[in-house]
Amino acid sequence: MKPVLILSFLFLSCYGHAQPLVTVFESSQGQSTATYHETMEYYRSLAERTPHITIKEAGLTDAGVPLHFVVLDLDAEFDFEKARKAGKTIILINNGIHPGEPDGIEASMMLMRDYALQPQYHALIENTIVAVIPVYNIGGALQRNSHSRANQNGPEEYGFRGNARNYDLNRDFIKADTKNTRAFYETFHAVDPDIFIDTHVSNGADYQYSITHLATQHDKMGGEMGSYIENEFTPKLEALMGKKGTDITPYVNVFNTTPDHEGFSQFLDNPRYSTGYTTLFHTLGFMIETHMLKTFDRRVNATYHFLEAILELAKTDGQRIRQLKVRQSESIKPGKKHALSWRLSKATSKQLKFKGYEGEMIESKVTGQSRLLYGRNKPFVKNIPYYNHYVPAKEVEIPIAYIIPQGWHEIIDRLKWNGVDYQLIQKDTAITVEVYRISKYNTSSSPYEGHYRHNNVQVVVSTESVSFRKGDYIVYTDQFAGRYLVETLEPEAVDSFFSWNFFDTILQQKEHFSPYVFEDVAWQLLQRDKTLRQEFEAKKKVNSEFANNWYAQLDFIYRHSEYYEKAHMVYPVYRWVH
Ligand SMILES: [Zn+2]
């Protein structure tokens, strides 16, 4: 089915409205996209015409405007808890995270109208609830321009990628620097979707497809849900799209080269990205990327077809997906191994029947060097390798609980925003826990999304008795948010709170020694402590740089003494393992 203008006019007789409900996309013959205000006005008008639609409000965004989500429920109850108990499948569609990529904004407006107003479609969604975020990045949508998507074929005007504070919201799902993300948390946990869709427009390679998909990486999702995504959901989705005449392929993850010789690998959606985040809460997630060089009209229709295919899969597979989600949520258990980072395995590949364009390297008129040129008149269908198998690069054993001293309120806030269950320690007490010391990390030299991120983080672990105070937080991992806890609180995890700079104060020593005073103390320490003396002498022997650096020598003794502060490099979230 294609969204059709004519059908909108038919509603006149049924609903008695003088004007048909037409999107800006439709009235401009596929040239324009609605502004933020036009989009919201459209949904308000739709909600007035049908009892099946309502608009809900979440928290404020950085633009000072609240986030809204629109809900389609044929039973007009709009109660997610009740719907879940009644065995309905819940879908959440997020649009305009990058408002310069408005295809999903337009496709969702038509989809919600068509499925709410046209009774012939109701059979498909009688057991489904569809929630749509009309425009997520409101601040970006308000910054309309015609040039920031340099490679994109329409529409005439669109919003900007950065939000009201120039954050890329599709990197903010863990650190939650923006109010948008907090409003998203509120929406996401209220809706608690079984299927999550995030709509985009691509950059990068050229090929014949109008639309590509980035499924939640199935190895990373893991368990039965991971196998289901890879072996059932995605093939079914591709077949449905084929039937609609809109072929879809995995996102073509190559830049400045063609995929037809070497093939390409699956994009890894780490937790900072939308579907990486929704994976932490066991939701089957898909990003879609329509192709920037196809016309806006064609891209919006491809997005519409995709969303319709999702409704069809929700009907046929909804029950299965809901069961898998429950099992997935129960799979995080203390003592089990859990991956903190992943690497691509090239040991196996899939053959992909790929519809591309021949590419060649020719001399650039601008730089005189070689540049890539795709031959649009040279389409091909070739079998190419597609690498979509990832293996754990680092794993950890899930503890029974994490213990977080109450002072780390930025972390505690984030856990609360994500619906984490916790208990408070009732009285001051010492508990034997695993303690991490940060033994190695690198810090990026340029800012990324407001942070100088840490990577290659390594820890050493010891078991110690640590004093906790009344009011400190015990967070058990055996809960729905267990996976979120492990992948944010383990410092070696790829998008851990540590990597996003929440614990940088422990990386700096607060107290130091005055060398002329410490000289005498150091001498006494060496006399008293034979082991220390031997270590010190041995180090001088093997390390000439150390042997010639008096400050390094005093510092070595200081760090091995009781004067050295306990908090330095000690990660202040503790693992309770038995
Ligand atoms: Zn995007």
Side-chain angles (χ1 to χ4, degrees):
M1 212 262 328
K2 184 182 173 302
V4 194
L5 256 180
I6 303 157
L7 286 173
S8 307
F9 290 95
L10 294 177
F11 307 150
L12 285 177
S13 53
C14 317
Y15 292 91
H17 283 271
Q19 293 296 319
L21 192 56
V22 179
T23 64
V24 168
F25 168 78
E26 289 166 318
S27 60
S28 68
Q29 274 77 47
Q31 299 301 304
S32 302
T33 186
T35 63
Y36 169 69
H37 294 295
E38 285 166 343
T39 305
M40 292 314 298
E41 197 42 57
Y42 174 92
Y43 278 117
R44 279 191 279 273
S45 181
L46 177 59
E48 276 171 18
R49 287 167 196 236
T50 167
H52 305 319
I53 294 271
T54 197
I55 303 175
K56 296 197 180 229
E57 187 176 313
L60 284 181
T61 64
D62 280 356
V65 179
L67 185 70
H68 288 93
F69 57 106
V70 182
V71 188
L72 166 58
D73 175 5
L74 291 185
D75 294 332
E77 287 182 323
F78 312 110
D79 181 334
F80 296 103
E81 199 67 47
K82 199 169 167 191
R84 205 168 295 117
K85 283 191 186 128
K88 288 193 177 189
T89 303
I90 304 173
I91 301 171
L92 175 63
I93 302 167
N94 187 35
N95 297 303
I97 192 169
H98 298 146
E101 306 165 17
D103 305 13
I105 297 174
E106 295 295 338
S108 294
M109 280 156 67
M110 295 188 293
L111 186 89
M112 293 293 264
R113 175 197 64 201
D114 297 346
Y115 277 79
L117 298 186
Q118 295 180 43
Q120 71 268 34
Y121 296 129
H122 286 179
L124 187 67
I125 55 165
E126 60 193 3
N127 212 27
T128 304
I129 294 198
V130 188
V132 166
I133 296 177
V135 180
Y136 178 37
N137 179 357
I138 298 169
L142 294 173
Q143 298 174 55
R144 297 269 283 198
N145 76 93
S146 299
H147 298 97
S148 59
R149 295 285 297 169
N151 307 316
Q152 192 170 292
N153 188 0
E156 288 159 343
E157 263 189 10
Y158 38 75
F160 180 62
R161 184 180 185 94
N163 90 331
R165 293 162 63 217
N166 215 29
Y167 280 101
D168 185 335
L169 298 180
N170 205 19
R171 311 287 184 272
D172 198 43
F173 284 95
I174 296 301
K175 60 191 173 69
D177 286 327
T178 67
K179 289 185 182 173
N180 299 63
T181 300
R182 295 169 215 171
F184 181 88
Y185 288 164
E186 204 181 302
T187 307
F188 179 77
H189 293 295
V191 173
D192 189 12
D194 304 299
I195 304 172
F196 170 78
I197 308 294
D198 195 24
T199 63
H200 294 254
V201 182
S202 76
N203 289 314
D206 198 5
Y207 39 76
Q208 298 175 43
Y209 304 90
S210 298
I211 186 167
T212 62
H213 61 72
L214 291 90
T216 298
Q217 208 289 317
H218 61 95
D219 298 302
K220 186 163 69 67
M221 171 56 89
E224 290 172 73
M225 175 80 100
S227 316
Y228 169 75
I229 291 171
E230 168 66 1
N231 301 319
E232 295 184 53
F233 190 87
T234 306
K236 284 182 192 173
L237 184 62
E238 289 172 346
L240 283 172
M241 290 296 279
K243 267 193 209 153
K244 293 173 192 293
T246 304
D247 276 349
I248 191 165
T249 198
Y251 175 64
V252 184
N253 191 17
V254 298
F255 286 88
N256 222 24
T257 176
T258 62
D260 42 317
H261 300 298
E262 311 279 306
F264 62 94
S265 57
Q266 185 178 14
F267 180 82
L268 181 66
D269 55 335
N270 281 323
R272 76 187 67 172
Y273 302 107
S274 60
T275 59
Y277 169 79
T278 61
T279 294
L280 301 182
F281 296 95
H282 326 293
T283 294
L284 191 164
F286 262 78
M287 282 200 272
I288 47 171
E289 299 260 6
T290 54
H291 189 248
M292 61 188 181
L293 295 174
K294 307 301 184 287
T295 60
F296 185 47
D297 179 47
R298 197 169 148 189
R299 285 170 8 225
V300 171
N301 285 322
T303 306
Y304 188 100
H305 286 160
F306 181 90
L307 298 179
E308 228 182 8
I310 292 293
L311 297 185
E312 289 163 27
L313 277 167
K315 183 175 170 73
T316 56
D317 286 36
Q319 193 185 356
R320 178 89 185 281
I321 295 167
R322 293 195 313 274
Q323 285 167 352
L324 288 174
K325 185 180 171 191
V326 171
R327 285 220 280 281
Q328 202 74 13
S329 71
E330 290 166 350
S331 69
I332 301 291
K333 295 284 179 208
K336 275 179 76 174
K337 288 256 190 273
H338 189 82
L340 300 178
S341 60
W342 296 84
R343 66 178 170 79
L344 181 69
S345 163
K346 286 211 160 180
T348 56
S349 69
K350 261 167 84 164
Q351 285 296 305
L352 205 64
K353 204 169 173 197
F354 186 71
K355 297 178 177 177
Y357 294 124
E358 295 287 352
E360 59 175 325
M361 298 306 285
I362 60 164
E363 190 183 308
S364 161
K365 287 184 201 158
V366 181
T367 67
Q369 303 192 357
S370 70
R371 56 151 286 188
L372 175 62
L373 180 74
Y374 280 101
R376 283 286 185 78
N377 53 355
K378 295 177 195 161
F380 66 75
V381 183
K382 268 185 204 166
N383 280 320
I384 62 168
Y386 174 53
Y387 301 95
N388 69 338
H389 183 41
Y390 280 81
V391 292
K394 194 148 224 172
E395 289 182 311
V396 76
E397 197 180 294
I398 300 171
I400 295 167
Y402 291 99
I403 308 184
I404 312 172
Q406 55 203 288
W408 296 95
H409 53 82
E410 287 177 312
I411 301 302
I412 290 157
D413 283 346
R414 277 157 183 76
L415 304 195
K416 287 179 180 172
W417 296 336
N418 279 290
V420 167
D421 287 331
Y422 57 85
Q423 290 179 14
L424 298 179
I425 290 181
Q426 294 302 311
K427 59 176 198 266
D428 295 3
T429 181
I431 305 176
T432 301
V433 289
E434 283 188 353
V435 181
Y436 284 147
R437 282 181 175 71
I438 307 296
S439 57
K440 196 184 160 210
Y441 66 97
N442 302 115
T443 303
S444 64
S445 57
S446 54
Y448 174 80
E449 293 303 319
H451 291 258
Y452 290 84
R453 268 177 57 76
H454 305 308
N455 49 59
N456 301 321
V457 179
Q458 286 177 25
V459 298
V460 288
V461 60
S462 58
T463 302
E464 296 171 28
S465 175
V466 174
S467 298
F468 295 99
R469 287 172 45 230
K470 179 183 175 187
D472 289 343
Y473 288 73
I474 300 188
V475 187
Y476 289 92
T477 55
D478 190 4
Q479 61 170 296
F480 186 76
R483 183 166 182 173
Y484 168 80
L485 292 169
V486 175
E487 295 196 31
T488 56
L489 294 177
E490 287 293 333
E492 294 179 329
V494 61
D495 275 324
S496 67
F497 289 132
F498 179 86
S499 78
W500 287 107
N501 307 107
F502 284 90
F503 294 101
D504 281 5
T505 49
I506 66 154
L507 301 176
Q508 185 196 2
Q509 208 174 317
K510 296 294 181 295
E511 297 277 13
H512 296 269
F513 57 87
S514 290
Y516 77 95
V517 180
F518 192 65
E519 276 280 349
D520 300 328
V521 180
W523 171 250
Q524 282 163 16
L525 283 171
L526 287 180
Q527 301 316 302
R528 267 210 315 267
D529 187 338
K530 195 179 158 200
T531 319
L532 177 63
R533 190 167 70 240
Q534 283 167 346
E535 255 181 76
F536 178 67
E537 293 302 335
K539 187 158 183 174
K540 276 207 286 189
K541 254 188 207 132
V542 297
N543 186 339
S544 63
E545 205 179 308
F546 181 72
N548 291 319
N549 184 337
W550 63 267
Y551 185 85
Q553 292 175 34
L554 286 181
D555 191 54
F556 175 88
I557 300 166
Y558 178 75
R559 281 168 185 259
H560 285 79
S561 76
E562 60 188 2
Y563 300 100
Y564 176 55
E565 67 205 46
K566 295 197 170 47
H568 188 213
M569 304 306 255
V570 174
Y571 181 65
V573 175
Y574 302 89
R575 286 165 50 91
W576 184 19
V577 291
H578 51 72

